Amino acid sequence: MESVTPMDDAEAIARSLEGDLSAYEVLVARYSALAHRTAVLFGARDEAEDVVQEAFVKAFRHLASFRRESEFRPWLLRIVANETHNLTRARGRRSELTVRLSATAEVKAPDDPEGAAVATDRRARLLEAVRALPERERRAVLCRYFLQLSEAETAQVLGWPVGTVKSRTHRGLARLREEAGHELG
């Protein structure tokens, strides 16, 4: 029996550009969950699936312009972020961040009900504090800590210089720490 090695992004892109749609399906399967989580975190809410579908269509249409020396993941997430921004702007109101527990990370509830209630309350307060951040700081914190992107990937996704990512992340975390201090004090 012959073992099949999984197709890496570079090969999937090259084959997609040659017209192999099954190769593009590999990329879609690999990044759909992350793209969906990004759309939800950036405010797409119930329309996240539509945003992700549109992002993958746009990515396919513009695949020929993708710089092969770059990574596909941050390039795709930037398209998702832009599509989400377009959606929230089209709504005509400031986007509201709706984050489900499944959209962030799986957290096992403690065996004791009191511990579970405390953990749930802490998560809810943290998410509320993140929602209250100014948009640029919120986007930086979401990319770095909820999507676990590097500073360079965050810069690419948001279209900012790395220094801006660092400063916005720092400010956002400082505001969150300050908010946590007020709740404790």
Side-chain angles (χ1 to χ4, degrees):
M1 185 173 204
E2 188 179 317
S3 69
V4 177
T5 37
M7 193 182 316
D8 68 6
D9 289 358
E11 182 184 352
I13 290 166
R15 287 177 49 184
S16 296
L17 288 169
E18 294 168 0
D20 182 353
L21 291 180
S22 66
Y24 193 69
E25 288 173 9
V26 168
L27 294 169
V28 172
R30 184 172 292 150
Y31 293 111
S32 283
L34 180 60
H36 188 270
R37 188 164 71 182
T38 301
V40 169
L41 287 171
F42 278 38
R45 297 192 303 243
D46 296 340
E47 296 156 296
E49 198 59 45
D50 294 338
V51 165
V52 169
Q53 185 174 355
E54 184 61 27
F56 275 112
V57 168
K58 280 191 176 177
F60 184 76
R61 270 196 237 126
H62 295 88
L63 201 53
S65 66
F66 172 70
R67 289 191 337 259
R68 302 274 189 104
E69 65 276 4
S70 299
E71 287 188 46
F72 181 76
R73 182 175 80 146
W75 182 75
L76 173 68
L77 294 183
R78 182 170 187 176
I79 295 170
V80 172
N82 288 341
E83 284 302 305
T84 304
H85 179 73
N86 292 344
L87 171 75
T88 57
R89 189 178 60 213
R91 284 184 190 143
R93 60 183 186 268
R94 188 168 184 254
S95 79
E96 203 177 290
L97 192 57
T98 301
V99 181
R100 296 185 182 110
L101 182 57
S102 62
T104 55
E106 288 192 31
V107 178
K108 289 194 173 187
D111 287 338
D112 67 306
E114 183 180 347
V118 169
T120 299
D121 182 58
R122 279 190 187 137
R123 273 194 304 280
R125 283 187 289 146
L126 172 64
L127 293 174
E128 203 51 49
V130 170
R131 283 186 194 112
L133 289 173
E135 183 180 357
R136 292 178 66 103
E137 291 171 15
R138 182 177 68 239
R139 290 179 136 218
V141 168
L142 288 173
C143 283
R144 293 286 290 126
Y145 296 100
F146 286 75
L147 298 174
Q148 299 178 339
L149 299 177
S150 69
E151 287 175 342
E153 289 171 325
T154 299
Q156 190 176 351
V157 167
L158 298 176
W160 301 344
V162 173
T164 302
V165 169
K166 288 179 180 184
S167 66
R168 299 289 179 181
T169 303
H170 178 77
R171 282 189 213 144
L173 292 176
R175 286 181 200 259
L176 290 173
R177 276 190 216 98
E178 184 179 313
E179 188 63 33
H182 287 304
E183 287 191 19
L184 297 174

